[in-house]
Amino acid sequence: MPRPNYTIFEDKNHLSEEAAHGIMVQAGLAEAYERPFRIALAGGSTPELLYRLLSSRERRNDYGMNWKNIQVFFGDERCVPPDAPESNYRMVKESLLANLDADNMPQVFRMEGESDPEEGAKRYEETLRKEFGIGVGEIPRFDLILLGMGEDGHTASLFPHKASLKETDRLVIAAEPGLKPFVPRLTLTFPVLNNAVQVLFLVAGEDKATTVKLVFDGESLPDELPSQTVKPLSGTLMWLLDKTAASQLQQNRSGFRL
Ligand code: 6PG
């Protein structure tokens, strides 16, 4: 299986700067074409630095984004209240939304982690259909989906050996966790991830190195390594890795940025 496109960075700072720059460019293009920029954010801890960069006052000149033209969605959420420490929404609120000016805010479509998981999944699916103007059977096409990868090879909340990996009809489902926090999840499904214009994986840390090697160079084992299933049908996929996460990839094929 050929490796996906990837770029290796010296550290998470450089990786986040590159991601921020790419998002700024894509968001600017959407605005130039007078259409909203629809992004699905990753949860977990890796993207926090990126969100801080994108919204920091000090970097306004570098990444001054017109957030009013941006619709922010979530790739997944933990089924906890929005102010709980495990909430992806809370992480995005603190690292991104809290730094923006009141007159430059995006539309934010939160997954309702506080609701009954099945109810929350259904409501988010309705939100996607409404905001993307699609009917039943159609799949929303995000401009950009940010994803992380767990040590077990999961992405969003699509964990190894779980039924959620087989979902092909629904856009959003309640999913069983496979790693901490062991709480029920809400997650976009693979058909949505693979319908995006662009998917960007952000992976950093030595603890991911073995899994990156397996995902990139190992056998195709989508049930064991769900991240292998992310292959946009008519879009681009790019993995941004820091040096430690890429440390088991012998030769660097894609770009190598220090
Ligand atoms: C979540 C995320 C999940 C995350 C990976 C990596 O809700 O946990 O969406 O898919 O991206 O687990 O998490 P870290 O960035 O914390 O390593």
Side-chain angles (χ1 to χ4, degrees), residues 42-47 76 78 88 147-150 154-157 185 208:
S45 57
T46 302
D76 72 324
R78 290 82 178 273
N88 286 334
L147 292 174
M149 185 192 75
H154 84 263
T155 189
S157 281
R185 309 291 187 95
K208 307 287 175 73

Side-chain angles (χ1 to χ4, degrees), residues 26 35 139-145 190-199 229-238:
Q26 294 303 322
R35 54 181 180 73
I139 304 173
R141 185 165 166 75
F142 281 93
D143 293 293
L144 175 60
I145 297 181
F190 279 126
V192 178
L193 303 186
N194 285 329
N195 197 43
V197 175
Q198 187 181 16
V199 177
T229 307
V230 179
K231 294 191 187 97
L233 300 170
S234 53
T236 59
L237 169 64
M238 173 58 83

